[in-house]
Structure formats: structure tokens, C-alpha cells
Amino acid sequence: MIAADRVLPVVATAIGGFVAGYSIRESLGQDVFHIESTGKWYGAFVTAQWAGSLTVLTAVLVLVMVHRRRPRISAALATVLGLLLVALPSFVPIAANQAVTTNALGAGALVGICGFIAGGRRLPSGGIAGGLLGSMLFYSAISQLRGPREGRWMDVLPGPYLVGSTVPLLLLLATTVVLLVAVRRASVGRFETSDAVAALVLGFVCLVVYIYLGNTTSTAATWMFAVAIVVLVAYGVAFDLGGRDGRYMMSGLAIAASGVNALGWGDASWWIFVVAAVLFVGAMGVGLRRDLTLAACGLLAVVTAAGLLPIGDDSINAVGTVFYCVLHPVAVGLLIGSARATRVVASTIGPLVPFVLTLFSVSAPVPPRVFGWVDGTSDDYVPPIVWLKSPLPVGVVVAVIVILVCLVLGSRVEREHHDRVSDSSGP
């Protein structure tokens, strides 16, 4: 029974976090850039940034609700509601542009419930981070394993394009059972209202900055201005949280910056995915036992800088590809294992920072887009097993600088919090 009480929260939060993260990514349409470039009025409400911001808002509201009255009953209701929202397109006609919002609401409810189950404890909080960031790191690889399926189109086809559930119903049912059992056995942790307000501010600022300064149609100058604003706000939130919780938020920002480069996965890349996933989980285990935050941030900066290396004769950045296949999962795993939070809101929202901050993964400055049907690519072209995709050098340089800033500011937040606590406690 004691072993179950230790293992169940970790398993539940890892599964819940993974389902939430994957459903966010899977719900996004394939014509977001087209919608933003044509100035559609609903363009701000179908992006990855909108989905991430709405997920944070929902997760915080769920945490507030379940800590106010009858926590376990409220948490059980929120669990069922969140999973029903993710499954909704399987029962009700939902258009692709609407599904971005419904999935974000469902994912936010799941993340909030996982935060309630974790209660700020070290291992269950690691489960949330592992599930969410694992879905972020390996989404494209897992999509290849699922096989070809129709894309989600939000504007380029006439009439509403109806979609299905982003996660198989059988998996959603199993997730519901696991989370409900974990909720029933969960202890109610301490909830800090000020932390919730800080998280909401961060989500709102990221959304506004993306819409007006940092979306895919922005210039390099306005994009860098947007990055500067978000880093300052993130530091303010981290300083308000203080201690390890503040450092955890800065670690999330560093991971978000490393997403400026991304891997493309081919049909035969499953074995590379397996190796990378094992490295990720193993690095998390090492980080949970030893505080290697400084080494992890340094490694993350080196890996991100690999996006600046010149490509080879085959138009592939071979060194950068190896770094992102092998070292990037290790760096992220070490970082989230080491920079663990101690309070409910920080442990819940920290791993969501890469989802709520898409300035690097989505809208970093890129060369003019060229499509396969006009750039001379032959119809029988076979892509590599796995390859690295990078933006213009300015995006990579800014990302590396942000990671180093996170390293410095994260250590400063923890040190200043320790000094404030020491001063307030007296001699």
C-alpha cells in the first residue's frame, strides 16, 4: 500500500501530462501561417500561443477551484470534464479552428488535476514535467509511428473542416481511470493565491506579446523586442515565486528557448526515438538525485548553439542533428529533474512555459518559406531518417543568450530568496 501511494501519483501525473501536451500539439492546424499572413480576425485564436496561454489559464483556475471546497470531489469532476473536452470531437461536430480551443481547455484541466495530485512533491512534480516535456520533445516522432492521416485545415478548404479526437478514446478512458484513482488517494497541499496570479500574468503577457510583436509575420527587430519583454516578465514572476520555485520557472524559459531548433523525423526513425526517450527519462532520474542545474543549462546552451553550424553537402546539419537527438533530451531531463519546485502552482506551470512561450518554437525569424511543389524537389525525394530544422542565425543567437540569462537569473533568484528568508528570520 505504501509503495502504491508513492508510485501511483508519479504514474498518474506522467500520463496526464503527456496526454495534455500531446493533445495540445495534435490539435493545431497546418495553415496557421497562412491565416496569420492574411490577417484573418480569428488568427490569434488558432495558434500554438493561444493554446498554451489558454492551457495555463485553465490549469490555474482548476487549481483554484479544487482547493476551495471539497477538493477530491471537485478534482474528480474536473478530471472527467477535461477528458470529455479532449474527446468531444468524437461525439459532437467540431471544426478544426474550434478544436484548438476545446483541446486547450481540456488539457489545462488535466494539467491542473496533475498539479493537485502532485501537491508540490518532488517525484509527482517530476511526473508532470516528464509527461508534458516528453510530449513536446517527441511529438513529431510519435506522429510518424501513428502513420499518415489527414491534416487539420482551418481556412484553406471551403466550409468547416470537422476533426476527430486528438487522442484515441481507449487511451483517454485509461487516463480517466488512473487519474480518478490518484485523485481519490491524493493529499491536499497548500495553495498560494499570489503564485496563481503571477502565473496568469505570465500567460497573458506571452499571448499579447505574441499577437502584437512576435508572431510569424513579425520582423526580426520586433521579434527580439518581444523576447526581451517576455524574459523581463518571466524574471519578475520568478522573483515573486522565489527560491527553487523561481529557478524552476526560469528553467522552463530556458527549455522554451532551446526549441528554436527542432528535429524532423522520417519514417524509419523509431529506433532513434526510443534511444532519445530512454536518455530523457534516465537524465531525469539523475537530476532528481543530484542538483545539476548549472551543467544542464550549460549543455542546453551548447546544444542550441549547434543550430549555427554550417550544413554539409547533403544540406543537413549533421552535428546539430546528433546534438538534438542525443544531448538535447539529456539536457532537458537533467534540468527538470534538478530544478524542482516546492509549491503547487510553480510545479504545475513550470513545465508549461515552453507551451505558453512560442516565440522560439514557432515564430523565430526564418528565411522566406519555399514549398516542395515549387522549389524543384522531385516527387520521389526521400528525406533523411532525422534532420535538424533551424531559423535564421539571429534566432539561434538570441535563444542561446536567453538560456545563459536564465542560468544567471535563476541562480540569482534562488540566492536572493535565501538572503530574504535569512534576514527575516533574524539572528
Side-chain angles (χ1 to χ4, degrees), residues 76-102:
L77 292 174
T79 300
V80 174
L81 177 60
L83 288 162
L84 282 177
L85 284 171
V86 175
L88 192 61
S90 296
F91 307 101
V92 178
I94 298 290
N97 52 4
Q98 298 169 334
V100 177
T101 297
T102 57

Side-chain angles (χ1 to χ4, degrees), residues 338-423:
S338 300
R340 45 193 176 270
T342 59
R343 301 205 299 266
V344 172
V345 174
S347 67
T348 306
I349 302 303
L352 274 177
V353 173
F355 290 89
V356 78
L357 175 58
T358 64
L359 292 176
F360 298 99
S361 60
V362 172
S363 58
V366 295
R369 286 170 169 80
V370 178
F371 301 98
W373 54 86
V374 295
D375 69 350
T377 302
S378 61
D379 295 336
D380 58 351
Y381 171 74
V382 178
I385 295 177
V386 63
W387 66 96
L388 187 67
K389 300 177 286 187
S390 300
L392 291 173
V394 63
V396 180
V397 170
V398 171
V400 173
I401 293 173
V402 169
I403 294 172
L404 296 177
V405 168
C406 290
L407 173 61
V408 175
L409 295 183
S411 300
R412 182 178 179 182
V413 163
E414 187 172 18
R415 184 174 59 254
E416 290 182 353
H417 175 77
H418 181 269
D419 293 341
R420 292 199 306 267
V421 172
S422 300
D423 293 340

Side-chain angles (χ1 to χ4, degrees), residues 219-279:
T219 64
T222 57
W223 177 81
M224 287 188 286
F225 183 46
V227 170
I229 293 175
V230 169
V231 171
L232 289 174
V233 173
Y235 174 65
V237 171
F239 185 83
D240 179 69
L241 294 173
R244 289 187 173 184
D245 301 282
R247 189 177 70 170
Y248 198 62
M249 297 296 290
M250 297 307 294
S251 297
L253 176 57
I255 294 171
S258 71
V260 74
N261 305 303
L263 288 174
W265 299 82
D267 295 335
S269 60
W270 64 267
W271 62 274
I272 300 177
F273 159 59
V274 172
V275 172
V278 170
L279 291 173

Side-chain angles (χ1 to χ4, degrees), residues 6-279:
R6 292 179 178 178
V7 174
L8 180 60
V10 180
V11 173
T13 54
I15 294 175
F18 181 85
V19 170
Y22 189 87
S23 64
I24 293 172
R25 290 293 306 272
E26 182 73 2
S27 68
L28 300 174
Q30 295 179 273
D31 50 355
V32 174
F33 173 74
H34 163 76
I35 293 174
E36 288 189 335
S37 62
T38 54
K40 299 289 183 177
W41 68 267
Y42 57 89
F45 306 107
V46 295
T47 62
Q49 180 63 63
W50 167 252
S53 299
L54 193 58
T55 300
V56 167
L57 170 64
T58 307
V60 171
L61 292 180
V62 166
L63 284 173
V64 172
M65 179 188 71
V66 300
H67 282 89
R68 288 192 63 182
R69 182 179 296 178
R70 296 184 177 181
R72 291 182 181 84
I73 296 177
S74 299
L77 292 174
T79 300
V80 174
L81 177 60
L83 288 162
L84 282 177
L85 284 171
V86 175
L88 192 61
S90 296
F91 307 101
V92 178
I94 298 290
N97 52 4
Q98 298 169 334
V100 177
T101 297
T102 57
N103 268 72
L105 292 172
L110 293 183
V111 174
I113 293 305
C114 289
F116 168 74
I117 294 171
R121 292 174 293 166
R122 182 166 59 98
L123 291 179
S125 296
I128 301 175
L132 280 169
L133 296 177
S135 69
M136 180 194 76
L137 290 175
F138 306 121
Y139 166 77
S140 297
I142 297 171
S143 294
Q144 287 295 330
L145 295 178
R146 288 188 63 184
R149 54 196 182 280
E150 290 188 53
R152 293 183 168 230
W153 304 101
M154 299 181 293
D155 183 70
V156 297
L157 297 179
Y161 184 77
L162 303 181
V163 295
S165 173
T166 53
V167 180
L169 294 180
L170 187 60
L171 178 57
L172 289 177
L173 180 60
T175 303
T176 304
V177 174
V178 173
L179 288 177
L180 288 178
V181 174
V183 163
R184 183 173 176 271
R185 303 174 69 92
S187 57
V188 182
R190 180 183 175 187
F191 180 78
E192 301 82 9
T193 304
S194 60
D195 292 357
V197 173
L200 292 176
V201 169
L202 179 62
F204 179 75
V205 169
C206 287
L207 178 61
V208 172
V209 167
Y210 177 88
I211 293 174
Y212 293 103
L213 294 174
N215 60 39
T216 56
T217 65
S218 302
T219 64
T222 57
W223 177 81
M224 287 188 286
F225 183 46
V227 170
I229 293 175
V230 169
V231 171
L232 289 174
V233 173
Y235 174 65
V237 171
F239 185 83
D240 179 69
L241 294 173
R244 289 187 173 184
D245 301 282
R247 189 177 70 170
Y248 198 62
M249 297 296 290
M250 297 307 294
S251 297
L253 176 57
I255 294 171
S258 71
V260 74
N261 305 303
L263 288 174
W265 299 82
D267 295 335
S269 60
W270 64 267
W271 62 274
I272 300 177
F273 159 59
V274 172
V275 172
V278 170
L279 291 173

